[in-house]
Amino acid sequence: MAGRAQIRVDPRFCWAAAGKAIYVERTVRGAKNIWRMTVDPITLQATKVERLTTSPGPDVEFSISPDGKKLAFTNERRQVRAWTFPFDAGHGRVTGPGLPVTAAGIDAYSIDLSRDGKSVAIRGFRGGQIGIWEKSVVNGRAEPMVGNDSYERAPPTWSPA
């Protein structure tokens, strides 16, 4: 998928009452918004596609009024952060409060703690871009390991050596 916009197929859609458009929830580059695809009612050929909502999303659970003049939807606010917790491996339990590893602006989806426990590699989204960062658990400083772009990458994994 390298070099292409990250698009995911979302299952939610509905026809306009007049049968001249389809409304869909669509995820593009991590933002789920509501789109309208105008269609020719005879051939069902798509004639125009337009994004109706422009928030970072997700914009979900929409409903169109029968006359097509009103759109109701839910705008959700989500935050996916990586955390560290002190852990007693011998007893298999967390021993204290956690600390966030990632900033609020990064949605962290894959992380890997270094063997010495001093750094975390984080793969996530920030501003619609995919990136991989190294975060110091000791001093909190974060450095990009791979530039932010639209390329799909495997989750980070520290070398055992």
Side-chain angles (χ1 to χ4, degrees):
M1 182 155 176
R4 290 186 280 166
Q6 185 181 30
I7 299 174
R8 196 180 92 217
V9 176
D10 298 298
R12 175 90 165 105
F13 76 95
C14 73
W15 278 95
K20 295 181 180 181
I22 298 173
Y23 294 85
V24 298
E25 290 175 3
R26 187 79 166 154
T27 302
V28 178
R29 294 183 133 191
K32 182 183 258 187
N33 299 116
I34 300 167
W35 296 68
R36 175 177 50 216
M37 180 173 65
T38 307
V39 296
D40 181 304
I42 297 170
T43 66
L44 298 181
Q45 177 108 14
T47 59
K48 183 179 180 182
V49 176
E50 60 188 315
R51 188 164 91 175
L52 302 177
T53 62
T54 58
S55 74
D59 297 331
V60 295
E61 301 300 324
F62 65 91
S63 182
I64 308 298
S65 65
D67 64 3
K69 294 182 179 181
K70 292 184 182 174
L71 168 69
F73 63 94
T74 300
N75 176 265
E76 297 178 3
R77 300 279 187 229
R78 294 182 186 171
Q79 187 174 10
V80 181
R81 294 181 75 179
W83 289 69
T84 58
F85 290 85
F87 183 72
D88 179 349
H91 292 96
R93 67 175 178 235
V94 172
T95 60
L99 295 171
V101 174
T102 54
I106 298 173
D107 283 343
Y109 290 101
S110 302
I111 63 169
D112 193 35
L113 187 62
S114 64
R115 291 179 67 130
D116 62 8
K118 294 181 180 178
S119 295
V120 178
I122 304 154
R123 176 180 171 267
F125 296 100
R126 177 172 56 188
Q129 301 290 303
I130 300 168
I132 298 178
W133 299 269
E134 176 182 355
K135 171 98 181 224
S136 169
V137 176
V138 178
N139 66 21
R141 195 169 81 223
E143 301 271 338
M145 295 177 83
V146 176
N148 295 344
D149 53 34
S150 60
Y151 290 97
E152 184 68 31
R153 292 191 170 81
T157 303
W158 291 102
S159 169

Tab-separated table of all heavy atoms in Angstrom, residues 64-108:
chain	number	residue	atom	x	y	z
A	64	ILE	N	-30.140	10.988	7.295
A	64	ILE	CA	-30.517	12.018	6.326
A	64	ILE	C	-32.022	12.232	6.431
A	64	ILE	O	-32.797	11.271	6.477
A	64	ILE	CB	-30.166	11.565	4.889
A	64	ILE	CG1	-28.706	11.115	4.785
A	64	ILE	CG2	-30.484	12.662	3.875
A	64	ILE	CD1	-27.699	12.177	5.085
A	65	SER	N	-32.438	13.503	6.437
A	65	SER	CA	-33.873	13.783	6.475
A	65	SER	C	-34.513	13.329	5.162
A	65	SER	O	-33.845	13.267	4.127
A	65	SER	CB	-34.120	15.278	6.706
A	65	SER	OG	-33.651	16.035	5.609
A	66	PRO	N	-35.814	13.019	5.163
A	66	PRO	CA	-36.484	12.549	3.947
A	66	PRO	C	-36.369	13.512	2.763
A	66	PRO	O	-36.281	13.070	1.627
A	66	PRO	CB	-37.945	12.380	4.378
A	66	PRO	CG	-37.864	12.118	5.844
A	66	PRO	CD	-36.706	12.953	6.324
A	67	ASP	N	-36.343	14.828	3.041
A	67	ASP	CA	-36.223	15.779	1.936
A	67	ASP	C	-34.769	16.021	1.528
A	67	ASP	O	-34.501	16.766	0.585
A	67	ASP	CB	-36.901	17.108	2.279
A	67	ASP	CG	-36.253	17.834	3.451
A	67	ASP	OD1	-35.219	17.347	3.992
A	67	ASP	OD2	-36.778	18.889	3.851
A	68	GLY	N	-33.804	15.376	2.223
A	68	GLY	CA	-32.388	15.495	1.879
A	68	GLY	C	-31.756	16.819	2.255
A	68	GLY	O	-30.637	17.115	1.854
A	69	LYS	N	-32.454	17.641	3.064
A	69	LYS	CA	-31.936	18.968	3.401
A	69	LYS	C	-31.224	19.021	4.752
A	69	LYS	O	-30.614	20.029	5.082
A	69	LYS	CB	-33.064	19.999	3.368
A	69	LYS	CG	-33.616	20.200	1.966
A	69	LYS	CD	-34.698	21.252	1.955
A	69	LYS	CE	-35.212	21.458	0.540
A	69	LYS	NZ	-36.242	22.482	0.480
A	70	LYS	N	-31.328	17.949	5.532
A	70	LYS	CA	-30.686	17.946	6.846
A	70	LYS	C	-29.910	16.649	7.039
A	70	LYS	O	-30.369	15.571	6.650
A	70	LYS	CB	-31.701	18.120	7.972
A	70	LYS	CG	-32.343	19.486	7.981
A	70	LYS	CD	-33.267	19.648	9.150
A	70	LYS	CE	-33.914	21.038	9.074
A	70	LYS	NZ	-34.915	21.202	10.093
A	71	LEU	N	-28.749	16.797	7.667
A	71	LEU	CA	-27.885	15.675	7.990
A	71	LEU	C	-27.627	15.709	9.491
A	71	LEU	O	-27.212	16.732	10.025
A	71	LEU	CB	-26.550	15.800	7.234
A	71	LEU	CG	-25.408	14.880	7.636
A	71	LEU	CD1	-25.735	13.445	7.250
A	71	LEU	CD2	-24.121	15.338	6.963
A	72	ALA	N	-27.916	14.617	10.176
A	72	ALA	CA	-27.609	14.505	11.603
A	72	ALA	C	-26.540	13.422	11.738
A	72	ALA	O	-26.592	12.395	11.048
A	72	ALA	CB	-28.857	14.124	12.392
A	73	PHE	N	-25.560	13.653	12.598
A	73	PHE	CA	-24.512	12.655	12.795
A	73	PHE	C	-23.849	12.866	14.147
A	73	PHE	O	-24.017	13.899	14.785
A	73	PHE	CB	-23.461	12.710	11.681
A	73	PHE	CG	-22.694	13.996	11.606
A	73	PHE	CD1	-21.467	14.123	12.249
A	73	PHE	CD2	-23.181	15.079	10.900
A	73	PHE	CE1	-20.757	15.312	12.182
A	73	PHE	CE2	-22.474	16.263	10.824
A	73	PHE	CZ	-21.254	16.380	11.467
A	74	THR	N	-23.106	11.884	14.563
A	74	THR	CA	-22.345	11.953	15.805
A	74	THR	C	-20.893	12.209	15.462
A	74	THR	O	-20.322	11.509	14.619
A	74	THR	CB	-22.465	10.630	16.592
A	74	THR	OG1	-23.837	10.400	16.881
A	74	THR	CG2	-21.669	10.674	17.872
A	75	ASN	N	-20.302	13.181	16.121
A	75	ASN	CA	-18.873	13.441	15.980
A	75	ASN	C	-18.207	12.934	17.250
A	75	ASN	O	-18.449	13.464	18.325
A	75	ASN	CB	-18.596	14.928	15.775
A	75	ASN	CG	-17.118	15.207	15.731
A	75	ASN	OD1	-16.522	15.546	16.736
A	75	ASN	ND2	-16.524	15.040	14.578
A	76	GLU	N	-17.415	11.889	17.114
A	76	GLU	CA	-16.759	11.296	18.263
A	76	GLU	C	-15.365	11.874	18.440
A	76	GLU	O	-14.720	12.265	17.475
A	76	GLU	CB	-16.649	9.777	18.096
A	76	GLU	CG	-17.993	9.087	18.029
A	76	GLU	CD	-17.858	7.591	17.821
A	76	GLU	OE1	-16.720	7.078	17.793
A	76	GLU	OE2	-18.896	6.931	17.696
A	77	ARG	N	-14.909	11.896	19.659
A	77	ARG	CA	-13.533	12.284	19.970
A	77	ARG	C	-12.862	11.069	20.589
A	77	ARG	O	-13.298	10.583	21.630
A	77	ARG	CB	-13.490	13.445	20.965
A	77	ARG	CG	-14.173	14.681	20.470
A	77	ARG	CD	-13.239	15.450	19.543
A	77	ARG	NE	-13.868	16.707	19.218
A	77	ARG	CZ	-13.964	17.156	17.977
A	77	ARG	NH1	-13.472	16.482	16.988
A	77	ARG	NH2	-14.555	18.304	17.739
A	78	ARG	N	-11.846	10.582	19.938
A	78	ARG	CA	-11.128	9.419	20.429
A	78	ARG	C	-9.666	9.780	20.609
A	78	ARG	O	-9.123	10.602	19.890
A	78	ARG	CB	-11.207	8.263	19.443
A	78	ARG	CG	-12.581	7.719	19.264
A	78	ARG	CD	-12.548	6.553	18.320
A	78	ARG	NE	-13.897	6.112	18.024
A	78	ARG	CZ	-14.193	5.234	17.100
A	78	ARG	NH1	-13.251	4.693	16.383
A	78	ARG	NH2	-15.447	4.891	16.895
A	79	GLN	N	-9.064	9.085	21.530
A	79	GLN	CA	-7.639	9.277	21.755
A	79	GLN	C	-7.049	7.918	22.099
A	79	GLN	O	-7.527	7.234	23.004
A	79	GLN	CB	-7.409	10.256	22.893
A	79	GLN	CG	-5.972	10.610	23.068
A	79	GLN	CD	-5.818	11.699	24.112
A	79	GLN	OE1	-6.738	12.053	24.822
A	79	GLN	NE2	-4.629	12.227	24.199
A	80	VAL	N	-6.054	7.518	21.345
A	80	VAL	CA	-5.384	6.253	21.570
A	80	VAL	C	-3.961	6.581	21.991
A	80	VAL	O	-3.169	7.068	21.185
A	80	VAL	CB	-5.387	5.367	20.300
A	80	VAL	CG1	-4.709	4.046	20.574
A	80	VAL	CG2	-6.802	5.168	19.782
A	81	ARG	N	-3.656	6.348	23.272
A	81	ARG	CA	-2.337	6.688	23.792
A	81	ARG	C	-1.640	5.450	24.331
A	81	ARG	O	-2.283	4.515	24.793
A	81	ARG	CB	-2.450	7.718	24.911
A	81	ARG	CG	-2.976	9.061	24.409
A	81	ARG	CD	-3.073	10.071	25.493
A	81	ARG	NE	-1.755	10.581	25.852
A	81	ARG	CZ	-1.560	11.515	26.775
A	81	ARG	NH1	-2.582	12.015	27.434
A	81	ARG	NH2	-0.359	11.932	27.050
A	82	ALA	N	-0.329	5.481	24.280
A	82	ALA	CA	0.479	4.421	24.876
A	82	ALA	C	0.832	4.842	26.304
A	82	ALA	O	1.093	6.018	26.563
A	82	ALA	CB	1.754	4.210	24.069
A	83	TRP	N	0.835	3.881	27.221
A	83	TRP	CA	1.131	4.136	28.625
A	83	TRP	C	2.175	3.149	29.115
A	83	TRP	O	2.299	2.044	28.574
A	83	TRP	CB	-0.129	3.948	29.474
A	83	TRP	CG	-1.162	5.016	29.287
A	83	TRP	CD1	-1.926	5.236	28.175
A	83	TRP	CD2	-1.541	5.997	30.236
A	83	TRP	NE1	-2.761	6.298	28.382
A	83	TRP	CE2	-2.549	6.777	29.652
A	83	TRP	CE3	-1.144	6.279	31.534
A	83	TRP	CZ2	-3.150	7.830	30.308
A	83	TRP	CZ3	-1.751	7.324	32.197
A	83	TRP	CH2	-2.738	8.098	31.588
A	84	THR	N	2.913	3.533	30.160
A	84	THR	CA	3.794	2.590	30.861
A	84	THR	C	3.308	2.478	32.300
A	84	THR	O	2.830	3.453	32.882
A	84	THR	CB	5.270	3.047	30.872
A	84	THR	OG1	5.360	4.330	31.480
A	84	THR	CG2	5.841	3.089	29.469
A	85	PHE	N	3.438	1.271	32.836
A	85	PHE	CA	3.052	0.994	34.217
A	85	PHE	C	4.172	0.199	34.878
A	85	PHE	O	4.749	-0.686	34.240
A	85	PHE	CB	1.771	0.136	34.277
A	85	PHE	CG	0.534	0.857	33.858
A	85	PHE	CD1	0.172	0.943	32.528
A	85	PHE	CD2	-0.286	1.451	34.808
A	85	PHE	CE1	-0.975	1.598	32.134
A	85	PHE	CE2	-1.442	2.118	34.426
A	85	PHE	CZ	-1.789	2.187	33.089
A	86	PRO	N	4.466	0.477	36.151
A	86	PRO	CA	5.410	-0.390	36.852
A	86	PRO	C	4.777	-1.772	36.997
A	86	PRO	O	3.582	-1.882	37.288
A	86	PRO	CB	5.614	0.296	38.204
A	86	PRO	CG	4.457	1.218	38.359
A	86	PRO	CD	3.956	1.552	36.989
A	87	PHE	N	5.582	-2.810	36.763
A	87	PHE	CA	5.026	-4.157	36.684
A	87	PHE	C	5.914	-5.142	37.424
A	87	PHE	O	7.136	-5.132	37.278
A	87	PHE	CB	4.917	-4.552	35.201
A	87	PHE	CG	4.284	-5.884	34.963
A	87	PHE	CD1	2.934	-6.081	35.157
A	87	PHE	CD2	5.061	-6.950	34.516
A	87	PHE	CE1	2.349	-7.308	34.921
A	87	PHE	CE2	4.485	-8.179	34.281
A	87	PHE	CZ	3.122	-8.369	34.480
A	88	ASP	N	5.310	-5.971	38.230
A	88	ASP	CA	6.013	-7.037	38.942
A	88	ASP	C	5.806	-8.320	38.146
A	88	ASP	O	4.746	-8.957	38.234
A	88	ASP	CB	5.455	-7.182	40.359
A	88	ASP	CG	6.118	-8.289	41.164
A	88	ASP	OD1	6.880	-9.102	40.582
A	88	ASP	OD2	5.873	-8.344	42.383
A	89	ALA	N	6.818	-8.702	37.348
A	89	ALA	CA	6.699	-9.879	36.486
A	89	ALA	C	6.587	-11.159	37.305
A	89	ALA	O	5.920	-12.114	36.895
A	89	ALA	CB	7.892	-9.956	35.540
A	90	GLY	N	7.235	-11.207	38.465
A	90	GLY	CA	7.185	-12.397	39.297
A	90	GLY	C	5.783	-12.712	39.802
A	90	GLY	O	5.402	-13.866	39.940
A	91	HIS	N	5.016	-11.676	40.082
A	91	HIS	CA	3.658	-11.867	40.579
A	91	HIS	C	2.586	-11.556	39.529
A	91	HIS	O	1.393	-11.699	39.789
A	91	HIS	CB	3.418	-11.003	41.832
A	91	HIS	CG	4.226	-11.459	43.001
A	91	HIS	ND1	5.444	-10.894	43.323
A	91	HIS	CD2	4.016	-12.447	43.905
A	91	HIS	CE1	5.943	-11.502	44.385
A	91	HIS	NE2	5.085	-12.458	44.757
A	92	GLY	N	3.031	-11.074	38.355
A	92	GLY	CA	2.100	-10.808	37.259
A	92	GLY	C	1.097	-9.725	37.542
A	92	GLY	O	-0.089	-9.893	37.266
A	93	ARG	N	1.571	-8.587	38.107
A	93	ARG	CA	0.615	-7.517	38.386
A	93	ARG	C	1.262	-6.144	38.278
A	93	ARG	O	2.460	-5.981	38.459
A	93	ARG	CB	-0.018	-7.705	39.748
A	93	ARG	CG	0.933	-7.545	40.890
A	93	ARG	CD	0.179	-7.628	42.221
A	93	ARG	NE	1.149	-7.505	43.280
A	93	ARG	CZ	1.305	-8.368	44.257
A	93	ARG	NH1	0.537	-9.429	44.320
A	93	ARG	NH2	2.215	-8.180	45.176
A	94	VAL	N	0.405	-5.162	38.004
A	94	VAL	CA	0.815	-3.761	37.965
A	94	VAL	C	0.995	-3.302	39.404
A	94	VAL	O	0.175	-3.607	40.268
A	94	VAL	CB	-0.258	-2.922	37.234
A	94	VAL	CG1	0.043	-1.435	37.348
A	94	VAL	CG2	-0.365	-3.341	35.775
A	95	THR	N	2.077	-2.538	39.648
A	95	THR	CA	2.389	-2.146	41.029
A	95	THR	C	2.225	-0.666	41.317
A	95	THR	O	2.533	-0.217	42.421
A	95	THR	CB	3.831	-2.562	41.379
A	95	THR	OG1	4.731	-1.897	40.469
A	95	THR	CG2	4.008	-4.073	41.278
A	96	GLY	N	1.770	0.100	40.361
A	96	GLY	CA	1.610	1.526	40.607
A	96	GLY	C	0.880	2.207	39.481
A	96	GLY	O	0.449	1.564	38.518
A	97	PRO	N	0.753	3.538	39.584
A	97	PRO	CA	0.028	4.282	38.547
A	97	PRO	C	0.821	4.352	37.246
A	97	PRO	O	2.046	4.302	37.247
A	97	PRO	CB	-0.144	5.667	39.162
A	97	PRO	CG	0.960	5.783	40.159
A	97	PRO	CD	1.218	4.395	40.666
A	98	GLY	N	0.088	4.469	36.159
A	98	GLY	CA	0.709	4.556	34.843
A	98	GLY	C	1.028	5.983	34.448
A	98	GLY	O	0.510	6.942	35.029
A	99	LEU	N	1.898	6.095	33.453
A	99	LEU	CA	2.254	7.387	32.868
A	99	LEU	C	2.068	7.311	31.362
A	99	LEU	O	2.462	6.324	30.741
A	99	LEU	CB	3.713	7.729	33.172
A	99	LEU	CG	4.080	7.954	34.629
A	99	LEU	CD1	5.593	8.073	34.778
A	99	LEU	CD2	3.392	9.199	35.154
A	100	PRO	N	1.480	8.352	30.758
A	100	PRO	CA	1.334	8.325	29.300
A	100	PRO	C	2.704	8.441	28.629
A	100	PRO	O	3.552	9.221	29.053
A	100	PRO	CB	0.464	9.541	28.995
A	100	PRO	CG	0.610	10.438	30.175
A	100	PRO	CD	0.923	9.561	31.355
A	101	VAL	N	2.909	7.631	27.605
A	101	VAL	CA	4.155	7.671	26.838
A	101	VAL	C	4.009	8.616	25.653
A	101	VAL	O	4.934	9.324	25.297
A	101	VAL	CB	4.533	6.252	26.346
A	101	VAL	CG1	5.731	6.292	25.427
A	101	VAL	CG2	4.797	5.347	27.532
A	102	THR	N	2.839	8.620	25.050
A	102	THR	CA	2.628	9.440	23.855
A	102	THR	C	1.882	10.719	24.192
A	102	THR	O	1.079	10.765	25.121
A	102	THR	CB	1.837	8.652	22.793
A	102	THR	OG1	0.639	8.154	23.379
A	102	THR	CG2	2.660	7.500	22.250
A	103	ALA	N	2.136	11.728	23.398
A	103	ALA	CA	1.440	12.999	23.533
A	103	ALA	C	-0.004	12.840	23.064
A	103	ALA	O	-0.330	11.908	22.322
A	103	ALA	CB	2.148	14.074	22.701
A	104	ALA	N	-0.847	13.758	23.456
A	104	ALA	CA	-2.267	13.687	23.106
A	104	ALA	C	-2.495	13.746	21.595
A	104	ALA	O	-3.470	13.227	21.104
A	104	ALA	CB	-3.026	14.809	23.800
A	105	GLY	N	-1.597	14.335	20.833
A	105	GLY	CA	-1.789	14.487	19.395
A	105	GLY	C	-1.398	13.286	18.564
A	105	GLY	O	-1.556	13.284	17.355
A	106	ILE	N	-0.873	12.240	19.176
A	106	ILE	CA	-0.456	11.042	18.445
A	106	ILE	C	-1.375	9.889	18.834
A	106	ILE	O	-1.516	9.575	20.007
A	106	ILE	CB	1.000	10.655	18.780
A	106	ILE	CG1	1.966	11.763	18.370
A	106	ILE	CG2	1.374	9.337	18.106
A	106	ILE	CD1	3.394	11.531	18.818
A	107	ASP	N	-2.010	9.269	17.858
A	107	ASP	CA	-2.774	8.050	18.102
A	107	ASP	C	-1.816	6.883	17.941
A	107	ASP	O	-1.394	6.568	16.829
A	107	ASP	CB	-3.937	7.919	17.119
A	107	ASP	CG	-5.095	8.822	17.465
A	107	ASP	OD1	-5.150	9.296	18.612
A	107	ASP	OD2	-5.946	9.048	16.595
A	108	ALA	N	-1.445	6.252	19.055
A	108	ALA	CA	-0.460	5.168	19.059
A	108	ALA	C	-1.147	3.833	18.816
A	108	ALA	O	-2.053	3.465	19.552
A	108	ALA	CB	0.277	5.143	20.386
